Amino acid sequence: MIASSHQPRVRPPRSLREASLLEAPTLLMRKVRGLSSQEGLTWLACVPLALFGLGVFNLSAHAAELPELTPAFLINNLWLAIAAFLVIFMNAGFAMVEAGLCRQKNAVNILAKNLIVFALAVTAYWFIGYSLMYGDSIAGGWLHFKGLFFDPTVTAEMVTEGKLTPSVDFLFQAAFAGTAATIVSGLVAERIKFKEFVIFSLILVGIIYPIAGSWKWNANGWLNQLGFIDFAGSTLVHSVGAWAGVIGAMMLGPRIGKYVDSKPQAIPGHNLALATLGALILWLGWYGFNPGSVLAMNETVPYIAVTTTLGAAGGGIAGTLISQFHSGKPDLTMTINGILAGLVSVTAGCDGFPMWAAWVVGFFGGAIVVYAVSFVDSIGIDDPVGAFSVHGVGGIWGTLAVGLFNKDAGLLFGKGFNQLGLQFLGVFAYAVFTIVTAWILWSILGALTGGIRVHENEEMVGLDISEHGMEAYPDFVASSN
C-alpha cells in the first residue's frame, strides 16, 4: 500500500479558545461584522497607514511653518507641562484628605465628587472660562472675553522668544480652576445632593472663578493695574473656593449630630492614614502650584520651591504645637491642616518672601488654623474637613502677609502701608464678589430642585447608598456612625 503524499487537513479554529496566539487576531477581526472578507481586512489595514500619513503630513506642515525649536521654548513648555501634571495630581490629595476626614458611609460620594469636579472644571474652563479669564478687556478691567474655546496655534514668535504654547498654558490654568471647585467639596461634604454640587461646580469654574481671576492674572485686570499681589493664588484660588463653599455650608446647615444643645460635637474621620497620604500628595503637588506659576524655567523656580517647603514646614510645626497647647495632646488632623494652611499662606508671596519670612508666614498660618476651626464650629458652621479655616482664613492671612513681608513692597522692609492697603482691597473685593455670586447660585439651585440637601433618612444611611447605591468598603463591617 502506497502512503499518501498529502498531509491531513487541519480544521481551522472555530473559537478564540481553540486558536493559537498567531491565529487569534485574524479570527477576532473576522468576527466583526463587515470584516469577514479579505477586502474588509485590507481596508482595515489601510486605516493606521492613512492616519500615520496624515500625522506625518501635519507634522511636516507645522515644521515648515515654524523655525527650529529653541532650548528656551522646549524647557519652558516642558517645565509648565510637568507643573500642570503635579497640580492635576493634587486632585488625588484633596480626595484622600476629604474622604479620610469624613465618615466611611460617605466615602464613595466624596471620591465621586472629587473625580467629576475636575472633569467638569476642564470642560467648563475650555468652553468659556479661559476666555473670560485671559480674553480682551470689555469692561475696564472688570470683565474680559475673547470668544468661546481658545486658539491653540503655535506661532514662530512663541518659538523664537521661548514663550508658552496656548495648549500648555490652558492645561496649567485649568488645573488651578479645578482646585477652586474641589475646595467647595470639603465644606459641603456629607449632606449635599450630588447633582446640585455638580451644577454649582460647573458654573463656578466656567464663570465665577474666571471673572474673579481676571482681575489680577489678566494683564488688563483692574486689581493687577493697581498693583495687588497674589503670585500663585492664596486669594484667587483658595479664598474664592472657600467663600463659595462656606455659603453652601451655611445654607445646608450642620450635619445631623454635629450640635447637641448648641455645642459642637466631634465627628471623627474614618481613615487618618488616607488623610495623611492626601496631605503628602498635596504637598508634592504644590511644587507645581507655586514654582509652576513662574510660567518659565529660570532661577526663580528653585527659590520658590524652597519658600514653599519652608511655609509647609512652619505650618505643620505650628499646627502640632498649638493643638498640643489647645487640647493637651498633639492632634494629627491639626498637623495635616497646619501643613496645608502653611502652604496656602505662603502661596501669595512665595516669590517675594525672604526664606525666613516664608517659614514665619507658614507658622502663623498653621497656628491660626487651629483657632479658626474652633471658631467656625462655635458660630454654627459645619465644615467637616476644616476647608474654610485652611483655604479661606489661610488664604486671607497669606495675601495680607505680602503687604508685610514682601522684600520689595512690604511694610516690615520700610516700604510703607501702600501695598498692605492694596492687599486688603483685593481680599475684600474677592470676598464680596464670591459671597454674592455663590449665594445667588446656591439659592437658585435650591429653588429649582427643592433644596440642595439630601433628606434626613438619606443622610443617616449615608450618601454612598442613597446617592450612588454602593459602598466604599463592602467587605468590611461598618463601625457605628
Side-chain angles (χ1 to χ4, degrees):
M1 187 175 181
I2 301 175
S4 172
S5 59
H6 298 288
Q7 295 295 326
R9 172 175 264 178
V10 179
R11 180 178 66 82
R14 296 179 179 176
S15 65
L16 288 174
R17 182 176 297 179
E18 297 177 357
S20 67
L21 187 61
L22 295 175
E23 295 168 331
T26 302
L27 181 62
L28 183 61
M29 289 296 100
R30 293 186 185 279
K31 293 289 185 182
V32 180
R33 185 176 181 181
L35 298 179
S36 57
S37 66
Q38 189 65 35
E39 290 81 7
L41 291 172
T42 302
W43 280 110
L44 181 67
C46 291
V47 171
L49 183 62
L51 291 175
F52 176 77
L54 182 61
V56 171
F57 172 81
N58 286 336
L59 183 62
S60 301
H62 285 291
E65 296 168 2
L66 297 177
E68 183 178 354
L69 302 185
T70 63
F73 174 80
L74 291 172
I75 193 63
N76 287 339
N77 281 275
L78 176 61
W79 161 237
L80 199 70
I82 293 171
F85 302 154
L86 285 170
V87 178
I88 291 170
F89 189 50
M90 290 174 72
N91 286 280
F94 281 116
M96 298 300 98
V97 169
E98 186 182 343
L101 293 180
C102 290
R103 289 168 290 183
Q104 175 181 325
K105 65 182 181 179
N106 299 309
V108 168
N109 178 258
I110 289 166
L111 298 174
K113 285 191 301 176
N114 279 270
L115 275 176
I116 195 62
V117 76
F118 184 66
L120 293 166
V122 171
T123 304
Y125 200 70
W126 168 63
F127 180 70
I128 192 172
Y130 187 79
S131 177
L132 286 171
M133 197 158 179
Y134 293 104
D136 301 326
S137 177
I138 59 175
W142 289 82
L143 186 63
H144 304 79
F145 190 65
K146 195 178 181 179
L148 301 178
F149 308 104
F150 72 97
D151 183 2
T153 303
V154 180
T155 65
E157 180 189 11
M158 294 175 188
V159 175
T160 56
E161 297 184 9
K163 294 182 177 179
L164 300 173
T165 66
S167 295
V168 77
D169 185 55
F170 164 79
L171 188 64
F172 185 70
Q173 304 300 341
F176 272 56
T179 300
T182 304
I183 293 167
V184 177
S185 176
L187 274 146
V188 299
E190 300 200 285
R191 68 247 199 237
I192 186 80
K193 290 180 180 177
F194 185 76
K195 288 184 290 187
E196 282 69 9
F197 171 78
V198 164
I199 296 170
F200 182 87
S201 300
L202 194 65
I203 298 173
L204 174 69
V205 177
I207 299 176
I208 297 174
Y209 165 78
I211 291 175
S214 72
W215 296 351
K216 165 58 188 172
W217 285 345
N218 189 307
N220 297 313
W222 69 276
L223 278 173
N224 186 59
Q225 295 290 323
L226 288 174
F228 172 71
I229 297 174
D230 189 356
F231 180 74
S234 287
T235 287
L236 271 72
V237 178
H238 296 279
S239 287
V240 165
W243 285 119
V246 79
I247 298 302
M250 292 170 66
M251 297 180 72
L252 283 166
R255 292 166 292 172
I256 298 171
K258 176 62 181 177
Y259 291 91
V260 176
D261 297 328
S262 300
K263 295 181 179 179
Q265 308 296 311
I267 302 180
H270 84 283
N271 195 328
L272 292 184
L274 207 61
T276 302
L277 175 62
L280 290 170
I281 291 173
L282 287 170
W283 192 339
L284 175 64
W286 235 281
Y287 294 116
F289 207 94
N290 286 359
S293 293
V294 177
L295 303 180
M297 172 52 75
N298 58 31
E299 74 284 352
T300 312
V301 169
Y303 183 86
I304 292 175
V306 174
T307 55
T308 298
T309 306
L310 290 172
I317 292 169
T320 305
L321 287 177
I322 300 302
S323 69
Q324 171 80 56
F325 298 146
H326 192 254
S327 62
K329 293 184 179 180
D331 186 335
L332 174 59
T333 64
M334 287 300 126
T335 302
I336 291 171
N337 279 338
I339 289 170
L340 299 181
L343 287 164
V344 171
S345 298
V346 81
T347 291
C350 54
D351 64 325
F353 288 151
M355 290 189 178
W356 65 267
W359 190 91
V360 170
V361 170
F363 184 89
F364 275 99
I368 292 170
V369 78
V370 178
Y371 295 103
V373 167
S374 298
F375 175 75
V376 170
D377 274 349
S378 70
I379 60 175
I381 299 175
D382 185 8
D383 180 2
V385 302
F388 185 78
S389 300
V390 169
H391 301 280
V393 177
I396 292 169
W397 156 243
T399 305
L400 297 179
V402 172
L404 298 173
F405 294 99
N406 183 276
K407 292 181 291 185
D408 300 319
L411 176 64
L412 299 182
F413 289 86
K415 305 301 181 180
F417 287 89
N418 182 64
Q419 192 62 51
L420 186 59
L422 287 173
Q423 299 305 107
F424 269 106
L425 174 63
V427 166
F428 178 76
Y430 280 108
V432 172
F433 175 75
T434 311
I435 289 170
V436 171
T437 53
W439 181 81
I440 293 172
L441 181 53
W442 283 124
S443 298
I444 293 173
L445 286 174
L448 293 176
T449 62
I452 60 175
R453 181 167 181 157
V454 298
H455 294 298
E456 182 177 341
N457 61 329
E458 293 175 326
E459 184 178 343
M460 293 296 291
V461 171
L463 275 61
D464 290 2
I465 295 297
S466 62
E467 291 280 283
H468 305 277
M470 60 180 67
E471 297 178 272
Y473 311 101
D475 295 332
F476 295 88
V477 177
S479 60
S480 175
N481 287 297

